[in-house]
Amino acid sequence: MTRVSVNRTLARLYWLLSLVLLLLLASKFANDIPGIPPFVISAANNFYDFMRDMSLLIATGGVAYISNIYQKRSNFVESLEEEWRNIVRTKSVLLSTCEKPYLATDDYLAAYYRVSETIDTMRIVYRNAGETDGLVGLYPYAPLHDMRRAIQTLDPRVASDVTKEKKALVRDAILQSFYALRETFLEELDLEEPQHPLLIAGSRRLKTPGAAVSARVMEEYQRKKLDRDASPRPDIDVFLTKLRSAEEGEAGKAPVPGR
């Protein structure tokens, strides 16, 4: 379910819940309101007793209904995320095709069928805009077709003398279409700004080498515990010690993975 569908469904549910609560409130105090006919008071009391007896069942059904709504929303978002990953991979294939110095027919066909598959897999996420029982509607994200049409101009079976300038134009057209698609496609994911963004270029680590005293104490304890027993392979220990010492000596010259 899209965000709009979820909000619309929840709004209807909230209105229904508010109406039921108002009716229950009126039924509860119907005996205290003067001027109400006896048959109305009797009906109000019966309604209140019925809702009280069925409250557990109604609450269980309501919780199950809301859970079903959010489960559908979760499944939709997962499908949307997978489709976006598919679009990104397709964009990479198309751009790499434009960068090939010699475009073979197999390379072109692989790229063309990749974007064609991406266009068709959109059907598992969205239906066409304005689609009815008698009308096909409009494809929801036209830039994908722009990307397809752009790569079709590089078909080596039709244009055997594609220049670098033509490939560059096709590449820029694919990027422009992708950027336009990204601006609207990701809106449905309810993305938020990161709480700790890193916004400056050329950033570097601000933490200095070292560890807390507790970690150093634990390290020393583990080393002493290990030294109590004789090693079955002293040659391996010597080998690893030399590697560690060499790496620590070079730590200031090159970054060490995982640090």
Side-chain angles (χ1 to χ4, degrees), residues 94-106:
L94 296 179
L95 293 181
S96 65
T97 302
C98 295
E99 296 295 335
K100 293 181 182 296
Y102 303 102
L103 184 59
T105 302
D106 291 343

Side-chain angles (χ1 to χ4, degrees), residues 7-123:
N7 292 337
R8 187 186 300 118
T9 302
L10 290 178
R12 288 197 296 263
L13 183 62
Y14 293 151
W15 278 108
L16 178 61
L17 179 61
S18 299
L19 179 61
V20 171
L21 290 177
L22 288 175
L23 290 176
L24 286 175
L25 183 63
S27 301
K28 176 66 174 178
F29 298 100
N31 294 328
D32 301 328
I33 301 176
I36 298 180
F39 72 92
V40 175
I41 295 177
S42 176
N45 292 334
N46 291 335
F47 174 76
Y48 182 81
D49 292 338
F50 172 78
M51 294 298 295
R52 184 182 58 186
D53 295 339
M54 299 295 294
S55 59
L56 181 60
L57 180 61
I58 294 174
T60 302
V63 171
Y65 181 69
I66 294 177
S67 300
N68 182 54
I69 292 175
Y70 281 106
Q71 181 62 43
K72 289 182 178 180
R73 171 64 179 173
S74 177
N75 293 339
F76 173 77
V77 170
E78 289 180 3
S79 299
L80 200 65
E81 290 174 346
E82 180 57 32
E83 180 64 13
W84 177 247
R85 295 188 186 97
N86 189 26
I87 291 173
V88 172
R89 289 190 291 265
T90 299
K91 182 260 299 183
S92 298
V93 171
L94 296 179
L95 293 181
S96 65
T97 302
C98 295
E99 296 295 335
K100 293 181 182 296
Y102 303 102
L103 184 59
T105 302
D106 291 343
D107 296 328
Y108 163 76
L109 290 178
Y112 174 78
Y113 285 119
R114 181 58 184 264
V115 69
S116 179
E117 290 175 3
T118 302
I119 290 173
D120 288 335
T121 53
M122 185 68 69
R123 307 299 182 184

